Amino acid sequence: MAATLIDGRKIAGEIKEKLTEEIKMLKEKGVSPSLSSIQVGEDPGTKVYVRSQKKSCEKIGIEYNLHQFKEDVSQKELEDFINHLNQDKKVSGIILQMPLPSHIDGRGLQRIISSQKDAEGISPANMGMVVYARPILGPCTAMAVMELIKSTGVKLYGKEAVMVGHSDIVGKPTTLLLLDKFVTTSVCHIATGERGTLPKYVRKAEILIVAVGKANLIKGEWVKEGAIVIDVGINRVEGKIVGDVEFEVAKERASFITPVPGGVGPVTTAMLLKNTVEAARLQTK
Ligand code: NAD
C-alpha cells in the first residue's frame, strides 16, 4: 500500500497561522518581531532563499531586513556588523545566509550571534539546550523533522530510528531530539556509506531520516515496510529538485513519507519564523 504523504506545506501553514495570532498580541504590547538577514556575495540559491524568507516573514507580520555585503568583505567587518545587530534593540532575530566565501569563517560568525537573537538556533548555547532536552531557540531543520514525525501521530517510545547524515545543524541535533523521545537511534555517515553497511542500517529503521545531499542515495527497496521516511536532502537533477531517497519505490513500502519539495523545507522556514517570534518574546523578559 502506498504511503501517506506528509504535507510539509500544510503543517507549515498551521504553524504560521498560530504565529500570526501571537505576533498580533505581541504588537499590542509594543513588541514588533524583526529578522535581520546577512547575505555575502551573489550566490543564486541564497537569492532565492532570501526572497522566500522575506515573503514568509512579511506575510505574518515580521519585519525582514536584508543586509548585503560584497564578496570581498572582511571577517572583521562582518563581526562588527553582527555585534551592532546584537546591540540593536529593534532587531529580534539574526540569520547568516550560507554559503559564505572561503576566506570567511562562518562558524566563527555564528558563534558571536547573541544566543537570544539566533533565529537558526545553531549557536553553541542553543545547541547546548538541545543536549539538555530543553531547546529554546532550536535548530530549525532538526525541529522541523520532529514536527513532521509528530504529525504522523505514531507513538515514538521504543521505536528504532536511523539518522543518515551527521552534520552539526541537521544530523546531530535531530539524533539528540529523537533520543529525548526514547527512540533507539543509530547514526550513519560517509564512513558507513564507504564501508557498504548503509543498507543494513536503513533496512531496520522504523523511522528513517536522511540528510546527506546525494540524489537517490537511499534505494527504495532498502526501506522497511511501514517505516516513516523523512527526506531532508535537496538535490537538483535535470532541472528538478529531488531528495536523497528513491521516492517512487520508497513510497510503496513506507507508511508515511515526506515529498521533496514540499516536505521538510517549508516546515524549516516556519521554524525560522517561530524562533524569530520567540526571540522577540525572550528579549522583552
Ligand atoms: P552536510 O554536507 O553538512 O553533511 C552531509 C552528511 O552526509 C555528513 O554527515 C556525511 O558524512 C554524510 N554522507 C555523505 N556521503 C554519504 C554517504 N555516501 N553515505 C552516508 N552518509 C554520507 O549536510 P547538511 O548541511 O546536513 O545537509 C544535508 C542535505 O540536506 C543537503 O542536501 C542540504 O541541502 C539539505 N538541507 C535541507 C534543509 C531543508 O530545509 N530542507 C535544511 C538543511 C539542509
Side-chain angles (χ1 to χ4, degrees):
M1 207 175 80
T4 302
L5 285 194
I6 306 178
D7 188 345
R9 293 196 179 103
K10 181 163 170 266
I11 296 168
E14 289 161 5
I15 296 169
K16 288 189 216 170
E17 225 169 88
K18 271 195 214 142
L19 288 175
T20 309
E21 287 310 306
E22 284 178 39
I23 292 167
K24 263 191 212 144
M25 288 193 312
L26 279 173
K27 285 188 175 170
E28 278 164 19
K29 290 186 201 154
V31 180
S32 230
S34 75
L35 181 60
S36 286
S37 165
I38 302 170
Q39 181 191 349
V40 181
E42 299 287 332
D43 179 71
T46 304
K47 281 187 182 172
V48 176
Y49 281 131
V50 161
R51 221 178 302 134
S52 120
Q53 284 166 8
K54 181 173 163 63
K55 206 169 128 198
S56 304
C57 278
E58 290 175 351
K59 202 164 166 200
I60 67 165
I62 296 175
E63 185 184 321
Y64 189 86
N65 296 304
L66 177 62
H67 305 279
Q68 286 174 289
F69 291 85
K70 294 220 171 76
E71 191 84 22
D72 62 358
V73 66
S74 71
Q75 181 84 15
K76 172 84 172 60
E77 276 172 273
L78 290 171
E79 282 173 7
D80 289 347
F81 187 68
I82 290 173
N83 284 326
H84 155 75
L85 293 178
N86 282 343
Q87 300 301 323
D88 187 341
K89 290 202 158 39
K90 291 196 293 298
V91 174
S92 325
I94 303 171
I95 176 170
L96 179 63
Q97 304 292 339
M98 297 287 171
L100 290 164
S102 55
H103 68 281
I104 299 294
D105 168 15
R107 279 285 137 79
L109 293 177
Q110 271 157 351
R111 266 201 299 276
I112 62 166
I113 293 176
S114 156
S115 60
Q116 289 211 331
K117 297 194 177 191
D118 168 31
E120 291 179 277
I122 54 178
S123 69
N126 285 318
M127 283 291 190
M129 292 312 284
V130 175
V131 175
Y132 295 138
R134 282 193 292 133
I136 299 171
L137 301 180
C140 296
T141 310
M143 299 298 281
V145 168
M146 295 309 289
E147 202 62 39
L148 290 156
I149 296 174
K150 191 171 127 198
S151 78
T152 65
V154 171
K155 204 168 139 249
L156 298 186
Y157 190 93
K159 285 272 184 308
E160 293 238 20
V162 171
M163 172 75 235
V164 186
H166 80 313
S167 68
D168 292 347
I169 61 164
V170 186
K172 287 181 194 169
T174 303
T175 303
L176 291 168
L177 293 168
L178 287 164
L179 288 176
D180 290 333
K181 301 285 178 202
F182 295 93
V183 175
T184 306
T185 308
S186 309
V187 186
C188 300
H189 39 63
I190 181 82
T192 326
E194 286 173 358
R195 196 184 154 113
T197 45
L198 196 54
K200 183 185 97 181
Y201 284 93
V202 172
R203 283 184 206 280
K204 72 183 176 88
E206 293 168 304
I207 302 168
L208 173 68
I209 303 123
V210 190
V212 172
K214 287 185 180 158
N216 293 328
L217 173 73
I218 306 297
K219 303 296 167 227
E221 62 163 49
W222 300 350
V223 170
K224 190 178 171 71
E225 288 283 348
I228 298 173
V229 179
I230 310 289
D231 192 349
V232 182
I234 301 175
N235 309 287
R236 190 173 285 275
V237 177
E238 293 166 4
K240 274 175 70 182
I241 301 289
V242 299
D244 291 343
V245 178
E246 198 184 20
F247 181 80
E248 289 305 325
V249 186
K251 82 172 195 319
E252 296 304 321
R253 301 176 63 85
S255 58
F256 294 92
I257 190 166
T258 55
V260 179
V264 178
V267 185
T268 298
T269 306
M271 289 298 158
L272 176 73
L273 307 179
K274 191 172 178 214
N275 276 348
T276 304
V277 175
E278 187 54 31
R281 208 196 323 266
L282 283 174
Q283 288 152 50
T284 60
K285 284 182 184 160

PDB file of all heavy atoms in Angstrom, residues 150-172:
ATOM      1  N   LYS A 150       6.020  14.050  14.341  1.00  0.00           N
ATOM      2  CA  LYS A 150       4.879  14.181  15.272  1.00  0.00           C
ATOM      3  C   LYS A 150       3.543  14.176  14.526  1.00  0.00           C
ATOM      4  O   LYS A 150       2.555  13.587  14.989  1.00  0.00           O
ATOM      5  CB  LYS A 150       5.039  15.488  16.063  1.00  0.00           C
ATOM      6  CG  LYS A 150       4.100  15.623  17.230  1.00  0.00           C
ATOM      7  CD  LYS A 150       4.473  16.829  18.066  1.00  0.00           C
ATOM      8  CE  LYS A 150       3.280  17.709  18.252  1.00  0.00           C
ATOM      9  NZ  LYS A 150       3.633  19.057  18.681  1.00  0.00           N
ATOM     10  N   SER A 151       3.535  14.778  13.338  1.00  0.00           N
ATOM     11  CA  SER A 151       2.279  14.893  12.577  1.00  0.00           C
ATOM     12  C   SER A 151       1.711  13.527  12.188  1.00  0.00           C
ATOM     13  O   SER A 151       0.534  13.417  11.857  1.00  0.00           O
ATOM     14  CB  SER A 151       2.488  15.742  11.323  1.00  0.00           C
ATOM     15  OG  SER A 151       3.137  14.966  10.324  1.00  0.00           O
ATOM     16  N   THR A 152       2.536  12.475  12.204  1.00  0.00           N
ATOM     17  CA  THR A 152       2.039  11.141  11.830  1.00  0.00           C
ATOM     18  C   THR A 152       1.181  10.538  12.954  1.00  0.00           C
ATOM     19  O   THR A 152       0.415   9.616  12.716  1.00  0.00           O
ATOM     20  CB  THR A 152       3.213  10.153  11.558  1.00  0.00           C
ATOM     21  OG1 THR A 152       3.939   9.951  12.785  1.00  0.00           O
ATOM     22  CG2 THR A 152       4.148  10.664  10.489  1.00  0.00           C
ATOM     23  N   GLY A 153       1.367  11.059  14.158  1.00  0.00           N
ATOM     24  CA  GLY A 153       0.608  10.539  15.307  1.00  0.00           C
ATOM     25  C   GLY A 153       1.158   9.218  15.825  1.00  0.00           C
ATOM     26  O   GLY A 153       0.589   8.616  16.745  1.00  0.00           O
ATOM     27  N   VAL A 154       2.273   8.740  15.255  1.00  0.00           N
ATOM     28  CA  VAL A 154       2.835   7.445  15.678  1.00  0.00           C
ATOM     29  C   VAL A 154       3.551   7.610  17.018  1.00  0.00           C
ATOM     30  O   VAL A 154       4.271   8.587  17.230  1.00  0.00           O
ATOM     31  CB  VAL A 154       3.808   6.912  14.585  1.00  0.00           C
ATOM     32  CG1 VAL A 154       4.576   5.686  15.067  1.00  0.00           C
ATOM     33  CG2 VAL A 154       3.053   6.604  13.304  1.00  0.00           C
ATOM     34  N   LYS A 155       3.328   6.658  17.914  1.00  0.00           N
ATOM     35  CA  LYS A 155       3.970   6.701  19.230  1.00  0.00           C
ATOM     36  C   LYS A 155       5.464   6.400  19.064  1.00  0.00           C
ATOM     37  O   LYS A 155       5.836   5.405  18.442  1.00  0.00           O
ATOM     38  CB  LYS A 155       3.308   5.647  20.123  1.00  0.00           C
ATOM     39  CG  LYS A 155       3.421   5.938  21.583  1.00  0.00           C
ATOM     40  CD  LYS A 155       2.480   5.011  22.366  1.00  0.00           C
ATOM     41  CE  LYS A 155       3.194   4.540  23.594  1.00  0.00           C
ATOM     42  NZ  LYS A 155       3.559   3.147  23.655  1.00  0.00           N
ATOM     43  N   LEU A 156       6.318   7.260  19.584  1.00  0.00           N
ATOM     44  CA  LEU A 156       7.755   7.137  19.305  1.00  0.00           C
ATOM     45  C   LEU A 156       8.503   6.258  20.311  1.00  0.00           C
ATOM     46  O   LEU A 156       9.527   5.660  19.976  1.00  0.00           O
ATOM     47  CB  LEU A 156       8.401   8.529  19.280  1.00  0.00           C
ATOM     48  CG  LEU A 156       7.885   9.481  18.197  1.00  0.00           C
ATOM     49  CD1 LEU A 156       8.693  10.769  18.192  1.00  0.00           C
ATOM     50  CD2 LEU A 156       7.952   8.822  16.826  1.00  0.00           C
ATOM     51  N   TYR A 157       7.988   6.186  21.524  1.00  0.00           N
ATOM     52  CA  TYR A 157       8.686   5.489  22.612  1.00  0.00           C
ATOM     53  C   TYR A 157       9.130   4.078  22.179  1.00  0.00           C
ATOM     54  O   TYR A 157       8.294   3.274  21.746  1.00  0.00           O
ATOM     55  CB  TYR A 157       7.763   5.413  23.836  1.00  0.00           C
ATOM     56  CG  TYR A 157       8.453   4.927  25.093  1.00  0.00           C
ATOM     57  CD1 TYR A 157       9.002   5.841  25.991  1.00  0.00           C
ATOM     58  CD2 TYR A 157       8.546   3.576  25.376  1.00  0.00           C
ATOM     59  CE1 TYR A 157       9.633   5.402  27.140  1.00  0.00           C
ATOM     60  CE2 TYR A 157       9.173   3.135  26.524  1.00  0.00           C
ATOM     61  CZ  TYR A 157       9.713   4.049  27.406  1.00  0.00           C
ATOM     62  OH  TYR A 157      10.343   3.619  28.543  1.00  0.00           O
ATOM     63  N   GLY A 158      10.438   3.822  22.264  1.00  0.00           N
ATOM     64  CA  GLY A 158      10.952   2.471  21.973  1.00  0.00           C
ATOM     65  C   GLY A 158      11.179   2.162  20.503  1.00  0.00           C
ATOM     66  O   GLY A 158      11.670   1.092  20.170  1.00  0.00           O
ATOM     67  N   LYS A 159      10.820   3.098  19.612  1.00  0.00           N
ATOM     68  CA  LYS A 159      10.995   2.822  18.171  1.00  0.00           C
ATOM     69  C   LYS A 159      12.482   2.827  17.799  1.00  0.00           C
ATOM     70  O   LYS A 159      13.317   3.395  18.505  1.00  0.00           O
ATOM     71  CB  LYS A 159      10.277   3.913  17.349  1.00  0.00           C
ATOM     72  CG  LYS A 159       8.772   3.759  17.328  1.00  0.00           C
ATOM     73  CD  LYS A 159       8.350   2.849  16.194  1.00  0.00           C
ATOM     74  CE  LYS A 159       6.862   2.701  16.028  1.00  0.00           C
ATOM     75  NZ  LYS A 159       6.092   2.334  17.177  1.00  0.00           N
ATOM     76  N   GLU A 160      12.800   2.218  16.656  1.00  0.00           N
ATOM     77  CA  GLU A 160      14.175   2.207  16.134  1.00  0.00           C
ATOM     78  C   GLU A 160      14.283   3.218  14.993  1.00  0.00           C
ATOM     79  O   GLU A 160      13.536   3.115  14.013  1.00  0.00           O
ATOM     80  CB  GLU A 160      14.498   0.829  15.556  1.00  0.00           C
ATOM     81  CG  GLU A 160      14.555  -0.244  16.594  1.00  0.00           C
ATOM     82  CD  GLU A 160      15.902  -0.947  16.630  1.00  0.00           C
ATOM     83  OE1 GLU A 160      16.909  -0.399  16.135  1.00  0.00           O
ATOM     84  OE2 GLU A 160      15.934  -2.058  17.172  1.00  0.00           O
ATOM     85  N   ALA A 161      15.188   4.181  15.153  1.00  0.00           N
ATOM     86  CA  ALA A 161      15.381   5.183  14.095  1.00  0.00           C
ATOM     87  C   ALA A 161      16.788   5.099  13.545  1.00  0.00           C
ATOM     88  O   ALA A 161      17.721   4.710  14.240  1.00  0.00           O
ATOM     89  CB  ALA A 161      15.121   6.576  14.634  1.00  0.00           C
ATOM     90  N   VAL A 162      16.929   5.496  12.289  1.00  0.00           N
ATOM     91  CA  VAL A 162      18.257   5.643  11.704  1.00  0.00           C
ATOM     92  C   VAL A 162      18.346   7.043  11.106  1.00  0.00           C
ATOM     93  O   VAL A 162      17.469   7.462  10.340  1.00  0.00           O
ATOM     94  CB  VAL A 162      18.525   4.553  10.634  1.00  0.00           C
ATOM     95  CG1 VAL A 162      19.821   4.840   9.882  1.00  0.00           C
ATOM     96  CG2 VAL A 162      18.602   3.186  11.306  1.00  0.00           C
ATOM     97  N   MET A 163      19.379   7.762  11.521  1.00  0.00           N
ATOM     98  CA  MET A 163      19.645   9.101  11.001  1.00  0.00           C
ATOM     99  C   MET A 163      20.830   8.972  10.052  1.00  0.00           C
ATOM    100  O   MET A 163      21.930   8.592  10.480  1.00  0.00           O
ATOM    101  CB  MET A 163      19.973  10.012  12.208  1.00  0.00           C
ATOM    102  CG  MET A 163      20.457  11.403  11.867  1.00  0.00           C
ATOM    103  SD  MET A 163      19.117  12.473  11.297  1.00  0.00           S
ATOM    104  CE  MET A 163      19.753  13.008   9.708  1.00  0.00           C
ATOM    105  N   VAL A 164      20.608   9.249   8.771  1.00  0.00           N
ATOM    106  CA  VAL A 164      21.727   9.201   7.818  1.00  0.00           C
ATOM    107  C   VAL A 164      22.209  10.635   7.598  1.00  0.00           C
ATOM    108  O   VAL A 164      21.454  11.477   7.103  1.00  0.00           O
ATOM    109  CB  VAL A 164      21.321   8.544   6.473  1.00  0.00           C
ATOM    110  CG1 VAL A 164      22.555   8.375   5.577  1.00  0.00           C
ATOM    111  CG2 VAL A 164      20.652   7.196   6.697  1.00  0.00           C
ATOM    112  N   GLY A 165      23.435  10.906   7.995  1.00  0.00           N
ATOM    113  CA  GLY A 165      23.999  12.261   7.949  1.00  0.00           C
ATOM    114  C   GLY A 165      24.255  12.734   9.368  1.00  0.00           C
ATOM    115  O   GLY A 165      23.386  12.563  10.237  1.00  0.00           O
ATOM    116  N   HIS A 166      25.447  13.276   9.605  1.00  0.00           N
ATOM    117  CA  HIS A 166      25.769  13.683  10.989  1.00  0.00           C
ATOM    118  C   HIS A 166      26.248  15.135  11.050  1.00  0.00           C
ATOM    119  O   HIS A 166      27.128  15.494  11.810  1.00  0.00           O
ATOM    120  CB  HIS A 166      26.774  12.713  11.614  1.00  0.00           C
ATOM    121  CG  HIS A 166      28.221  12.944  11.222  1.00  0.00           C
ATOM    122  ND1 HIS A 166      28.621  13.145   9.919  1.00  0.00           N
ATOM    123  CD2 HIS A 166      29.348  13.022  11.970  1.00  0.00           C
ATOM    124  CE1 HIS A 166      29.937  13.323   9.893  1.00  0.00           C
ATOM    125  NE2 HIS A 166      30.388  13.252  11.137  1.00  0.00           N
ATOM    126  N   SER A 167      25.629  15.990  10.220  1.00  0.00           N
ATOM    127  CA  SER A 167      26.050  17.404  10.220  1.00  0.00           C
ATOM    128  C   SER A 167      25.672  18.065  11.549  1.00  0.00           C
ATOM    129  O   SER A 167      24.756  17.619  12.248  1.00  0.00           O
ATOM    130  CB  SER A 167      25.376  18.152   9.068  1.00  0.00           C
ATOM    131  OG  SER A 167      23.998  18.243   9.293  1.00  0.00           O
ATOM    132  N   ASP A 168      26.396  19.160  11.842  1.00  0.00           N
ATOM    133  CA  ASP A 168      26.142  19.886  13.096  1.00  0.00           C
ATOM    134  C   ASP A 168      24.726  20.458  13.143  1.00  0.00           C
ATOM    135  O   ASP A 168      24.122  20.514  14.206  1.00  0.00           O
ATOM    136  CB  ASP A 168      27.136  21.056  13.235  1.00  0.00           C
ATOM    137  CG  ASP A 168      28.555  20.562  13.437  1.00  0.00           C
ATOM    138  OD1 ASP A 168      28.729  19.356  13.709  1.00  0.00           O
ATOM    139  OD2 ASP A 168      29.482  21.390  13.309  1.00  0.00           O
ATOM    140  N   ILE A 169      24.217  20.893  11.974  1.00  0.00           N
ATOM    141  CA  ILE A 169      22.920  21.594  12.039  1.00  0.00           C
ATOM    142  C   ILE A 169      21.715  20.683  11.824  1.00  0.00           C
ATOM    143  O   ILE A 169      20.608  21.029  12.188  1.00  0.00           O
ATOM    144  CB  ILE A 169      22.851  22.810  11.074  1.00  0.00           C
ATOM    145  CG1 ILE A 169      23.038  22.376   9.616  1.00  0.00           C
ATOM    146  CG2 ILE A 169      23.856  23.875  11.451  1.00  0.00           C
ATOM    147  CD1 ILE A 169      22.586  23.466   8.647  1.00  0.00           C
ATOM    148  N   VAL A 170      21.927  19.504  11.214  1.00  0.00           N
ATOM    149  CA  VAL A 170      20.770  18.612  10.981  1.00  0.00           C
ATOM    150  C   VAL A 170      20.942  17.267  11.716  1.00  0.00           C
ATOM    151  O   VAL A 170      20.211  16.961  12.663  1.00  0.00           O
ATOM    152  CB  VAL A 170      20.507  18.360   9.472  1.00  0.00           C
ATOM    153  CG1 VAL A 170      19.215  17.564   9.303  1.00  0.00           C
ATOM    154  CG2 VAL A 170      20.434  19.652   8.675  1.00  0.00           C
ATOM    155  N   GLY A 171      21.915  16.473  11.279  1.00  0.00           N
ATOM    156  CA  GLY A 171      22.030  15.097  11.784  1.00  0.00           C
ATOM    157  C   GLY A 171      22.226  15.003  13.288  1.00  0.00           C
ATOM    158  O   GLY A 171      21.507  14.269  13.977  1.00  0.00           O
ATOM    159  N   LYS A 172      23.210  15.753  13.815  1.00  0.00           N
ATOM    160  CA  LYS A 172      23.497  15.630  15.257  1.00  0.00           C
ATOM    161  C   LYS A 172      22.334  16.108  16.130  1.00  0.00           C
ATOM    162  O   LYS A 172      21.894  15.366  17.017  1.00  0.00           O
ATOM    163  CB  LYS A 172      24.783  16.374  15.604  1.00  0.00           C
ATOM    164  CG  LYS A 172      26.040  15.679  15.116  1.00  0.00           C
ATOM    165  CD  LYS A 172      27.271  16.482  15.535  1.00  0.00           C
ATOM    166  CE  LYS A 172      28.509  16.029  14.802  1.00  0.00           C
ATOM    167  NZ  LYS A 172      29.623  16.973  15.004  1.00  0.00           N
TER     168      LYS A 172
END
